[in-house]
Amino acid sequence: MELKIGIIGIGAMGRDHVERINERVNGAVVAAISDINKDTAIAYAEEIGATFFENAEDLISSEDIDAVVVTSWDPTHEDYVLECIKNNKYVFCEKPLAIEASGCLNIVHAETEKNKKFVQVGFMRRYDRGYEEIKHELQTGTLGETLLIHCTHRNEMVDEGYDTPMAVENTAVHEVDALRWLLEEDFVTAEVRLPKKQTTKTHAKLHDPQLILLETESGVIIDLEVFVNCQFGYDINCKVVCEQGEIGLTNPTYYSIKTERKDSTRVPSDWKERFIAAYDRELQIWVDGVKNDNITGPSAWDGYMASVTTSACSEARDTGERKDIKFEPKPGLYNQKLRETI
Amino acid sequence: MELKIGIIGIGAMGRDHVERINERVNGAVVAAISDINKDTAIAYAEEIGATFFENAEDLISSEDIDAVVVTSWDPTHEDYVLECIKNNKYVFCEKPLAIEASGCLNIVHAETEKNKKFVQVGFMRRYDRGYEEIKHELQTGTLGETLLIHCTHRNEMVDEGYDTPMAVENTAVHEVDALRWLLEEDFVTAEVRLPKKQTTKTHAKLHDPQLILLETESGVIIDLEVFVNCQFGYDINCKVVCEQGEIGLTNPTYYSIKTERKDSTRVPSDWKERFIAAYDRELQIWVDGVKNDNITGPSAWDGYMASVTTSACSEARDTGERKDIKFEPKPGLYNQKLRETI
Amino acid sequence: MELKIGIIGIGAMGRDHVERINERVNGAVVAAISDINKDTAIAYAEEIGATFFENAEDLISSEDIDAVVVTSWDPTHEDYVLECIKNNKYVFCEKPLAIEASGCLNIVHAETEKNKKFVQVGFMRRYDRGYEEIKHELQTGTLGETLLIHCTHRNEMVDEGYDTPMAVENTAVHEVDALRWLLEEDFVTAEVRLPKKQTTKTHAKLHDPQLILLETESGVIIDLEVFVNCQFGYDINCKVVCEQGEIGLTNPTYYSIKTERKDSTRVPSDWKERFIAAYDRELQIWVDGVKNDNITGPSAWDGYMASVTTSACSEARDTGERKDIKFEPKPGLYNQKLRETI
Amino acid sequence: MELKIGIIGIGAMGRDHVERINERVNGAVVAAISDINKDTAIAYAEEIGATFFENAEDLISSEDIDAVVVTSWDPTHEDYVLECIKNNKYVFCEKPLAIEASGCLNIVHAETEKNKKFVQVGFMRRYDRGYEEIKHELQTGTLGETLLIHCTHRNEMVDEGYDTPMAVENTAVHEVDALRWLLEEDFVTAEVRLPKKQTTKTHAKLHDPQLILLETESGVIIDLEVFVNCQFGYDINCKVVCEQGEIGLTNPTYYSIKTERKDSTRVPSDWKERFIAAYDRELQIWVDGVKNDNITGPSAWDGYMASVTTSACSEARDTGERKDIKFEPKPGLYNQKLRETI
């Protein structure tokens, strides 16, 4: 049985998912799309052999659609996700789940009322082989307790539409979710340093780089450099310091070259090159989960926790002070066991 | 449209392909199987929802089957592949294409008579990202001409069924095909050194390690260590020495650990761990190719060339002398352009 | 001409320097020693063919001694160094130059009065090939301005005599000097985080690990993890993030081993293994400098700046707040050009 | 006591040793020099404060000279070394010990007659930290027996004075000695492949690269690529394949740079950059040995064995055949224990 998927929003990310589902994922097909740019969407629907729905709500409620992927404009996520829950349809929603934490909470409440998880948020790092192997190693206990984590999140460059808050909300949010999942605990304080010395490669609306400090319930301290005009490539580092040793992500490389007195490996150009396998795996496991009526990925609760954490970071940045991170009690629905890594 | 695939032979390799096609490859399904172990095969067919054919020829000729995968006992490959060609069906055949070079040639002739390539041989290294990136770099020309290649092919251990000839026929054959593809030229001489000093971890019927020396038409010399009881893991190396530098495979790693005064990355345990992505990619591209009526992978001619090369290696090993590698002229059918890497 | 050196204090560090000077350094010999443990010192003096002085002041003023090395108990450093200046003798003093910043300032004043630098402080990292090469690369300008630095200073373990303040005063002080030298600017704020979550391998008097944050005049932010019971070895990292790329220390390795599914290099056991060449080079260049009447190493002023910086760190740690680092204006004597690296 | 050394031949290598002894080695001084270029030598002697001897034999026999370093024109080595032995003077002679194996044997006989080793040959790799650590690891036995060794010896480029035979005699000779020392056994066969495909960067008199195959008494097979116009730097590799794993030299690096989508470390430009510490250590240990009347470095016998091995290689290259390596029985004098590594 092929899962029939409807996709709302066919910008770059939406089309990536269409291509993924129709060309690389097993057992699913994009059967319908909806997008506010009607003409483009109709043409694209025809190209990929999908039905076009002018109204996203109709796509969601259609009997011909088994599950929904939301890749539309951020402010519309909350409504579409709620509509999916109302229709008892599984929905994969790209981050953010909602613009505000309160919106995420609306979704959490909708799910808890039905006592079922319908929502998966697009935090793909949980599906990266490096993070998975690190989590697996930490869980064996050989390295002892985790004490500190050092991270960098570097992009080669960003355009003028990317401003100071986005460093937290669009960029650091990936580490926020990945580290919560890795450590299986929540953050309690946040602090952001905006160094007086910035790169000359940035623009007026963006303070670049930034240094974020987070602390977890148990007392693990994380430092995270966000540097989105680093020029040299896409460079994700995560070093976990434990009682008996350090474990860290490597940048997977496939070849090395010795030439001109240098021995080099490649630094990826962007997140697509670095995390392509994680994106494919994320969707495959989601599709399999939907078919088995048991999804195991980042939940609406995880979307909410990412939201309250990044909000605290933003406040910390604006005030220059360390901020406590406050959140609601976790509904029992979200205590279900996570997918086993590896 | 889902491609309906029939698989002949459901041993370990066959079942791996079933799982791959039914769970990870897009656009295909295993619709039929055949195997000489009737009872097991019937049960397995039921389990995966496929039709069981007692007679492989019936599976091949069935109108319900679009393409065939041959993973049966080696001596049967030739006949099944010929039968597929007779039925104008695309066939993916695991190595070896035939037991003898003459058998491969029968297949080549069957294709050339129909003036169409139906056959792909299971040399999956051409689909490994490392080899692909190296080929891509070599083709840019930046490193100049290739002069020498240093390879190792190491397995952690083998059982007593693995004997001296298999080091060439089952193991080195992967490098034979991958390097022909990488360099786009053929080998002209072969030499095998059986070192007086062997590992104590081998058994009576296996000389381990072995050192193979190949030379190409243009004069590139390759040394290849085959060491199948190396104990420490599965370790594939390939360093290409060029006029302006060296490019080599890295063993892709995803994390590193510092503990007990060591900074370590993982060595894979076996070929599955190392080449799993290449196997998946090989089948996906084959399925896409079949659907487009244009397959681009290792051809029957490549299967023949692998056979004549490994035969020369075996003769060289038995005589202790350097042997010339002789082969038939290449039919024009096989001059079609290869798939672009990356 | 062999430089005749007198050493005050023949504990472990003093004896290391004796061995260094008498066995590996060119052009110098230990001609005299002094130590409060009279009997041990007399025996040792005999063993190495040096004169024993009961009174360190007599050693300093002796006409048979060309230059002095101070490796005595920390609280005595200031007086011995002042005595050397009074006697117009070059003196190499292990850190700390004095217990308090005010003591360092006394030494600075003694030198400025004579308008000559006599003092070198034992900050050996400036002589490590890795730091030297990084400084050289930064000075070429290719990488642009420095923005951030990420450091770790990890020891395998410490004994019960090592307490919380020592993480700053004895350990982080090395980074304090090395980074001032690397960046050629001073620190202006300090902050110390004591994570709630500590290693179980520490003892009651030591908070371990600690996270130190420093900021320079131009606005470069440094994070420095000090973790002195890390168990896995001596692990010094320093990654300098610039506008066009990142440059970092590697842990120099000389061999790698593949065994038991791991590909490993060695992590040094301690600072001796890691920095032995830097110590030898430091003394050789100091001896050469004394002979040429022109020393170029870390000065009394550098000793003073290290002291005010670590004092601010200590205060920051005790108060939990970010502290401004205040220092006296720099006398012109200390504006002399530094040694060229490499 | 400073060892007074006389140096015969003050070309580039001789002057390197002068600088080394006078500036970096402890306990020795260059007291005399001799060279056929009289005027230059007189000026240089004055510059370094040494006595000039017109006649090398006078330098050797001078009572003011404790030990001799021979860095003169290769054909003169044998006579000067014999003269040193006659005068009971320790002599450090750069390779080759003599032009022919028979000349080396003359020196061996002169020593055996006096039943004392006076001669050390300048094979500095035995003093490289990488080779030392590998030998130490092999001797622990953890990795089991050695089975194969893969080596490369690559130079960035050579001038037109460097011809085909020099690849063996001047270049591969370093591996010949280092591997004999590493394995503590001798070579019994040699083979040289001159690939049809050469680099376009070579010149008419030089076949480049070359592939040398050696076999030891116990049956270890070594492949050694000699490539002296490799363009990208000086690149020495040595991977020792054992029963339980592989141990290999790393190219020691001190920093890494991420820039322009590359993560790079430096490849040394030449042997000076790569082996400078080994050269210094070689001389220091030799000076210490002379003072203790017990030298432990490469002996006249090692010089002889290097000579017979490279001669066999040359013959193998010229004939295209595998050659047996024949040598005289080893005199008991040379069975003395080697220096402990590390």
Side-chain angles (χ1 to χ4, degrees):
Chain A
M1 185 211 73
E2 282 209 318
L3 198 72
K4 289 187 288 296
I5 294 175
I7 301 199
I8 304 170
I10 51 153
M13 193 48 142
R15 288 174 187 231
D16 271 359
H17 282 316
V18 169
E19 196 183 303
R20 182 167 290 117
I21 291 165
N22 282 349
E23 298 180 16
R24 294 195 300 276
V25 165
N26 179 286
V29 67
V30 177
I33 62 168
S34 180
D35 193 282
I36 50 165
N37 296 305
K38 192 173 162 179
D39 292 350
T40 315
I42 287 172
Y44 186 63
E46 196 163 336
E47 182 189 329
I48 64 167
T51 306
F52 170 72
F53 283 84
E54 183 151 6
N55 191 305
E57 283 75 13
D58 294 343
L59 179 152
I60 292 169
S61 62
S62 164
E63 290 198 353
D64 296 336
I65 295 302
D66 300 317
V68 178
V69 168
V70 176
T71 46
S72 53
W73 191 43
D74 291 0
T76 65
H77 289 187
E78 181 184 345
D79 285 348
Y80 292 148
V81 168
L82 286 170
E83 192 70 17
C84 289
I85 296 171
K86 203 174 80 184
N87 283 274
N88 297 309
K89 293 250 168 105
Y90 282 108
V91 54
F92 178 96
C93 180
E94 275 303 327
K95 69 177 178 66
L97 182 57
I99 294 297
E100 305 280 346
S102 60
C104 297
L105 219 46
N106 292 338
I107 291 167
V108 164
H109 292 154
E111 282 195 331
T112 49
E113 249 167 63
K114 296 213 165 186
N115 197 32
K116 179 169 180 179
K117 293 192 290 180
F118 293 97
V119 181
Q120 177 164 332
V121 186
F123 290 125
M124 83 296 181
R125 294 237 186 136
R126 299 187 184 197
Y127 299 90
D128 174 65
R129 187 160 163 187
Y131 279 106
E132 287 194 308
E133 303 240 29
I134 288 174
K135 183 162 185 179
H136 180 77
E137 281 293 328
L138 292 177
Q139 285 176 337
T140 65
T142 316
L143 293 175
E145 291 289 307
T146 298
L147 304 170
L148 298 167
I149 304 185
H150 306 297
C151 298
T152 76
H153 188 142
R154 295 166 181 159
N155 291 67
E156 198 164 281
M157 64 187 72
V158 294
D159 63 31
E160 303 238 332
Y162 186 111
D163 61 12
T164 294
M166 291 175 76
V168 163
E169 291 159 21
N170 291 44
T171 301
V173 68
H174 280 292
E175 272 78 14
V176 164
D177 179 71
L179 298 181
R180 275 187 68 249
W181 166 81
L182 194 69
L183 297 174
E184 298 191 3
E185 59 169 331
D186 292 307
F187 298 113
V188 293
T189 71
E191 190 181 346
V192 179
R193 297 279 297 256
L194 299 179
K196 187 172 80 181
K197 193 156 177 196
Q198 295 186 57
T199 178
T200 56
K201 310 293 175 187
T202 193
H203 55 264
K205 291 181 182 159
L206 172 62
H207 201 111
D208 193 36
Q210 303 182 21
L211 188 66
I212 299 172
L213 292 159
L214 293 164
E215 189 186 354
T216 71
E217 291 165 305
S218 74
V220 176
I221 293 184
I222 291 104
D223 54 78
L224 164 59
E225 171 199 325
V226 176
F227 184 14
V228 295
N229 287 293
C230 83
Q231 307 296 310
F232 70 88
Y234 183 71
D235 190 37
I236 303 301
N237 294 284
C238 175
K239 300 219 172 267
V240 182
V241 186
C242 302
E243 285 177 303
Q244 297 284 358
E246 185 193 72
I247 182 166
L249 283 182
T250 49
N251 173 24
T253 60
Y254 304 92
Y255 67 101
S256 61
I257 295 187
K258 293 184 186 177
T259 194
E260 294 177 358
R261 295 193 189 159
K262 288 189 180 59
D263 187 352
S264 312
T265 54
R266 179 170 166 84
V267 173
S269 58
D270 54 24
W271 51 269
K272 275 202 196 178
E273 182 178 346
R274 174 66 180 82
F275 286 118
I276 187 71
Y279 277 101
D280 287 1
R281 195 161 146 66
E282 172 192 48
L283 258 287
Q284 181 71 66
I285 290 174
W286 178 68
V287 163
D288 296 346
V290 171
K291 288 180 169 182
N292 293 326
D293 201 24
N294 177 28
I295 56 171
T296 54
S299 68
W301 181 256
D302 295 319
Y304 165 69
M305 289 305 298
S307 183
V308 294
T309 306
T310 53
S311 296
C313 288
S314 298
E315 209 184 333
R317 179 195 60 235
D318 293 342
T319 61
E321 286 173 13
R322 197 176 306 162
K323 283 289 157 195
D324 288 338
I325 301 170
K326 303 292 191 191
F327 44 90
E328 299 294 312
K330 184 176 176 179
L333 176 62
Y334 301 103
N335 287 328
Q336 291 167 15
K337 223 168 165 264
L338 291 175
R339 175 177 62 90
E340 292 291 316
T341 55
I342 308 175
Chain B
M1 185 212 71
E2 282 209 317
L3 198 70
K4 288 186 289 297
I5 294 176
I7 301 199
I8 303 170
I10 51 155
M13 193 49 142
R15 288 174 187 232
D16 272 0
H17 282 316
V18 168
E19 198 183 302
R20 181 168 291 117
I21 291 165
N22 282 351
E23 298 180 17
R24 295 195 299 277
V25 165
N26 179 288
V29 67
V30 177
I33 61 169
S34 180
D35 193 283
I36 49 164
N37 296 304
K38 192 174 163 180
D39 291 350
T40 316
I42 287 172
Y44 186 63
E46 196 163 334
E47 184 190 326
I48 63 166
T51 306
F52 170 72
F53 282 86
E54 184 154 1
N55 191 307
E57 283 73 14
D58 293 343
L59 179 151
I60 292 169
S61 60
S62 163
E63 290 199 353
D64 295 336
I65 295 303
D66 300 319
V68 178
V69 168
V70 175
T71 46
S72 52
W73 191 43
D74 290 1
T76 65
H77 289 187
E78 181 183 345
D79 285 347
Y80 292 147
V81 169
L82 287 171
E83 193 69 19
C84 290
I85 297 171
K86 203 174 79 183
N87 283 274
N88 297 311
K89 293 248 167 107
Y90 282 108
V91 54
F92 179 95
C93 180
E94 275 303 327
K95 70 175 177 65
L97 181 57
I99 293 297
E100 305 280 346
S102 59
C104 298
L105 218 47
N106 292 337
I107 292 167
V108 163
H109 292 152
E111 283 196 331
T112 48
E113 248 166 63
K114 296 211 166 186
N115 197 31
K116 178 168 179 177
K117 292 192 291 180
F118 293 97
V119 181
Q120 177 163 334
V121 186
F123 290 124
M124 84 294 179
R125 294 237 185 135
R126 299 189 183 197
Y127 299 90
D128 174 66
R129 186 160 164 187
Y131 280 106
E132 286 194 308
E133 304 240 29
I134 288 173
K135 183 162 185 180
H136 180 78
E137 281 294 327
L138 292 177
Q139 285 177 335
T140 65
T142 315
L143 293 174
E145 291 289 308
T146 297
L147 304 170
L148 297 169
I149 303 185
H150 306 297
C151 298
T152 76
H153 188 141
R154 294 166 182 160
N155 290 68
E156 199 164 279
M157 64 187 73
V158 293
D159 62 31
E160 302 238 331
Y162 187 111
D163 62 11
T164 294
M166 291 174 76
V168 163
E169 290 158 21
N170 291 47
T171 301
V173 68
H174 280 293
E175 271 78 13
V176 164
D177 180 71
L179 298 181
R180 275 186 69 248
W181 165 80
L182 195 70
L183 297 174
E184 298 190 5
E185 58 169 332
D186 292 307
F187 297 113
V188 293
T189 71
E191 190 181 347
V192 179
R193 296 280 295 257
L194 299 179
K196 186 172 78 179
K197 193 156 176 197
Q198 295 187 57
T199 177
T200 55
K201 310 291 176 189
T202 192
H203 55 264
K205 291 181 181 157
L206 172 61
H207 201 110
D208 191 35
Q210 303 181 22
L211 187 66
I212 299 172
L213 292 160
L214 293 164
E215 190 186 355
T216 70
E217 291 165 307
S218 75
V220 176
I221 294 184
I222 290 103
D223 53 78
L224 165 59
E225 171 200 324
V226 176
F227 184 13
V228 294
N229 286 292
C230 84
Q231 307 297 309
F232 70 88
Y234 183 72
D235 190 38
I236 303 302
N237 293 285
C238 174
K239 300 222 173 264
V240 183
V241 186
C242 303
E243 286 177 301
Q244 298 283 358
E246 185 193 72
I247 181 165
L249 283 182
T250 49
N251 172 24
T253 61
Y254 304 92
Y255 67 102
S256 61
I257 295 187
K258 293 184 186 177
T259 193
E260 294 177 356
R261 295 192 188 159
K262 289 189 179 57
D263 187 351
S264 313
T265 54
R266 180 171 164 84
V267 173
S269 58
D270 55 25
W271 51 269
K272 275 200 194 178
E273 182 178 346
R274 174 64 180 82
F275 286 119
I276 187 72
Y279 278 100
D280 288 1
R281 196 161 145 67
E282 172 192 49
L283 258 287
Q284 182 71 67
I285 291 174
W286 177 68
V287 163
D288 296 346
V290 170
K291 287 180 169 181
N292 292 327
D293 201 25
N294 177 27
I295 55 171
T296 54
S299 68
W301 180 256
D302 294 320
Y304 165 69
M305 289 304 297
S307 183
V308 294
T309 307
T310 53
S311 295
C313 288
S314 298
E315 209 183 334
R317 178 196 60 235
D318 293 342
T319 61
E321 284 173 15
R322 197 176 305 162
K323 283 287 156 194
D324 288 338
I325 301 170
K326 303 291 190 192
F327 43 90
E328 300 293 312
K330 184 175 175 180
L333 175 63
Y334 300 103
N335 287 328
Q336 291 167 17
K337 223 168 166 260
L338 291 175
R339 173 178 64 91
E340 291 291 317
T341 56
I342 312 176
Chain C
M1 183 214 69
E2 283 209 317
L3 197 72
K4 288 187 290 297
I5 294 175
I7 300 199
I8 302 170
I10 50 154
M13 193 49 142
R15 286 174 188 230
D16 272 359
H17 282 317
V18 168
E19 197 184 301
R20 181 167 290 119
I21 291 164
N22 282 352
E23 297 180 17
R24 296 195 299 275
V25 165
N26 179 286
V29 66
V30 178
I33 63 169
S34 181
D35 193 282
I36 51 164
N37 296 303
K38 192 173 162 180
D39 291 351
T40 315
I42 287 172
Y44 185 64
E46 197 164 332
E47 183 191 328
I48 63 165
T51 306
F52 170 72
F53 281 85
E54 184 153 3
N55 191 306
E57 284 74 13
D58 293 343
L59 178 152
I60 293 168
S61 62
S62 164
E63 292 199 350
D64 296 335
I65 295 303
D66 300 317
V68 178
V69 168
V70 175
T71 46
S72 52
W73 192 43
D74 290 0
T76 65
H77 289 187
E78 180 183 346
D79 284 349
Y80 291 148
V81 168
L82 286 170
E83 192 71 17
C84 288
I85 297 171
K86 203 174 80 183
N87 282 274
N88 298 311
K89 292 248 167 107
Y90 282 108
V91 55
F92 178 95
C93 180
E94 275 304 326
K95 71 177 174 66
L97 182 56
I99 294 296
E100 305 280 347
S102 60
C104 297
L105 218 47
N106 292 338
I107 292 167
V108 163
H109 292 155
E111 282 195 334
T112 49
E113 247 166 64
K114 294 212 164 181
N115 198 30
K116 179 169 178 176
K117 293 193 291 181
F118 293 97
V119 181
Q120 178 163 332
V121 185
F123 290 124
M124 85 293 181
R125 294 237 187 135
R126 300 188 183 197
Y127 300 90
D128 173 66
R129 188 160 160 187
Y131 279 107
E132 288 194 308
E133 303 239 30
I134 289 173
K135 183 163 185 179
H136 180 77
E137 281 294 327
L138 292 177
Q139 286 177 335
T140 64
T142 314
L143 294 174
E145 291 288 309
T146 297
L147 304 170
L148 299 168
I149 303 184
H150 307 296
C151 298
T152 75
H153 188 142
R154 295 167 181 159
N155 291 67
E156 197 162 283
M157 63 187 73
V158 295
D159 62 29
E160 302 238 331
Y162 187 110
D163 62 12
T164 294
M166 291 173 76
V168 163
E169 289 159 21
N170 291 46
T171 301
V173 67
H174 279 292
E175 272 78 13
V176 164
D177 180 71
L179 298 182
R180 276 186 68 248
W181 165 81
L182 194 70
L183 297 174
E184 298 191 4
E185 59 170 331
D186 291 306
F187 297 112
V188 293
T189 72
E191 190 181 346
V192 179
R193 296 279 295 258
L194 299 179
K196 187 173 78 180
K197 192 153 174 198
Q198 296 187 57
T199 178
T200 55
K201 310 293 176 187
T202 192
H203 55 265
K205 292 182 180 156
L206 172 60
H207 201 109
D208 191 36
Q210 302 182 22
L211 188 66
I212 299 172
L213 292 160
L214 293 164
E215 189 187 356
T216 70
E217 291 165 306
S218 74
V220 176
I221 293 184
I222 290 103
D223 53 78
L224 164 59
E225 171 200 323
V226 175
F227 185 13
V228 295
N229 287 293
C230 83
Q231 306 297 309
F232 69 87
Y234 183 72
D235 189 39
I236 302 302
N237 294 283
C238 175
K239 301 224 173 263
V240 182
V241 185
C242 301
E243 287 177 302
Q244 298 283 359
E246 185 193 73
I247 182 166
L249 282 182
T250 48
N251 173 23
T253 61
Y254 305 93
Y255 67 103
S256 61
I257 294 186
K258 292 183 187 177
T259 195
E260 296 178 356
R261 296 194 187 157
K262 288 190 179 59
D263 187 352
S264 312
T265 54
R266 181 174 163 83
V267 173
S269 58
D270 56 23
W271 50 269
K272 274 200 194 177
E273 182 178 345
R274 173 66 180 82
F275 285 119
I276 187 73
Y279 277 100
D280 287 1
R281 194 160 145 68
E282 171 193 53
L283 256 288
Q284 181 71 67
I285 292 174
W286 177 68
V287 162
D288 296 347
V290 170
K291 286 180 171 182
N292 291 328
D293 202 25
N294 177 28
I295 56 171
T296 55
S299 67
W301 180 255
D302 295 318
Y304 165 70
M305 289 304 298
S307 182
V308 295
T309 306
T310 54
S311 295
C313 288
S314 299
E315 210 184 332
R317 179 194 60 235
D318 293 343
T319 61
E321 286 172 13
R322 197 175 306 162
K323 283 288 155 194
D324 288 339
I325 301 169
K326 304 291 191 191
F327 43 90
E328 300 293 312
K330 184 175 174 180
L333 174 62
Y334 300 103
N335 288 329
Q336 291 167 15
K337 222 169 166 265
L338 292 174
R339 173 178 64 90
E340 291 293 315
T341 55
I342 311 175
Chain D
M1 183 212 74
E2 284 209 316
L3 197 71
K4 289 186 289 296
I5 294 175
I7 299 198
I8 303 170
I10 51 154
M13 193 48 141
R15 286 173 189 230
D16 272 358
H17 282 316
V18 168
E19 198 183 300
R20 181 167 291 118
I21 291 164
N22 282 351
E23 296 180 19
R24 294 195 301 277
V25 165
N26 178 288
V29 67
V30 177
I33 61 169
S34 181
D35 193 282
I36 51 164
N37 297 303
K38 192 173 163 180
D39 291 350
T40 315
I42 288 173
Y44 186 64
E46 197 163 334
E47 183 190 327
I48 64 165
T51 307
F52 170 71
F53 283 85
E54 184 152 2
N55 190 306
E57 285 74 12
D58 293 343
L59 178 151
I60 292 168
S61 62
S62 163
E63 291 198 351
D64 295 336
I65 295 304
D66 299 319
V68 178
V69 168
V70 175
T71 46
S72 52
W73 191 45
D74 291 0
T76 65
H77 289 186
E78 181 184 345
D79 284 349
Y80 292 148
V81 169
L82 286 170
E83 191 72 17
C84 289
I85 296 170
K86 202 173 81 184
N87 282 272
N88 298 310
K89 293 249 168 104
Y90 282 108
V91 55
F92 179 96
C93 180
E94 276 303 328
K95 71 176 175 65
L97 181 57
I99 294 297
E100 305 280 346
S102 60
C104 297
L105 218 46
N106 292 337
I107 291 167
V108 164
H109 292 154
E111 282 195 332
T112 48
E113 248 167 62
K114 295 210 165 187
N115 197 31
K116 180 170 178 177
K117 293 192 291 180
F118 292 97
V119 181
Q120 178 164 331
V121 185
F123 290 124
M124 84 295 179
R125 294 237 187 136
R126 299 189 184 197
Y127 299 90
D128 174 65
R129 188 162 162 187
Y131 280 106
E132 287 194 309
E133 304 239 29
I134 288 174
K135 183 162 186 181
H136 180 77
E137 281 294 328
L138 291 178
Q139 286 176 335
T140 64
T142 314
L143 293 175
E145 291 289 308
T146 297
L147 303 171
L148 298 168
I149 303 184
H150 306 296
C151 297
T152 75
H153 188 141
R154 295 166 181 160
N155 290 66
E156 198 163 281
M157 63 187 73
V158 294
D159 63 30
E160 303 237 332
Y162 186 109
D163 61 13
T164 294
M166 290 174 77
V168 163
E169 289 158 20
N170 291 45
T171 301
V173 67
H174 279 292
E175 272 78 14
V176 164
D177 180 70
L179 298 182
R180 275 186 69 248
W181 165 81
L182 195 69
L183 297 174
E184 299 192 2
E185 58 170 332
D186 291 306
F187 297 112
V188 293
T189 71
E191 191 182 345
V192 179
R193 296 280 294 259
L194 299 180
K196 187 172 81 180
K197 193 154 174 198
Q198 295 187 57
T199 178
T200 55
K201 309 294 175 186
T202 191
H203 55 264
K205 291 181 181 157
L206 172 61
H207 201 108
D208 191 36
Q210 303 182 21
L211 187 66
I212 299 172
L213 291 160
L214 293 164
E215 189 186 355
T216 70
E217 290 165 306
S218 75
V220 176
I221 294 185
I222 291 104
D223 53 79
L224 164 59
E225 171 200 324
V226 175
F227 185 14
V228 295
N229 286 294
C230 82
Q231 306 297 309
F232 70 87
Y234 183 71
D235 190 37
I236 302 302
N237 293 284
C238 175
K239 301 223 174 263
V240 182
V241 185
C242 302
E243 287 177 302
Q244 298 283 359
E246 185 193 74
I247 182 166
L249 283 182
T250 48
N251 173 23
T253 60
Y254 305 93
Y255 67 101
S256 61
I257 294 186
K258 292 183 188 178
T259 194
E260 295 177 357
R261 296 194 187 156
K262 286 189 180 61
D263 187 351
S264 313
T265 54
R266 180 172 164 84
V267 173
S269 57
D270 56 24
W271 50 269
K272 274 201 193 177
E273 182 178 345
R274 174 64 180 83
F275 285 119
I276 187 73
Y279 278 100
D280 286 3
R281 194 160 145 68
E282 170 192 52
L283 257 287
Q284 182 70 69
I285 291 174
W286 177 68
V287 162
D288 296 348
V290 170
K291 286 180 170 182
N292 292 326
D293 201 24
N294 177 29
I295 56 171
T296 54
S299 68
W301 180 255
D302 295 320
Y304 165 69
M305 289 304 298
S307 183
V308 295
T309 307
T310 53
S311 295
C313 288
S314 298
E315 210 184 333
R317 179 195 61 235
D318 293 342
T319 61
E321 286 172 14
R322 196 175 307 160
K323 282 287 156 196
D324 288 338
I325 301 170
K326 304 291 191 190
F327 43 90
E328 300 292 313
K330 185 175 174 180
L333 175 63
Y334 300 103
N335 288 327
Q336 290 167 18
K337 222 167 166 266
L338 292 175
R339 173 177 64 91
E340 291 292 317
T341 54
I342 311 176

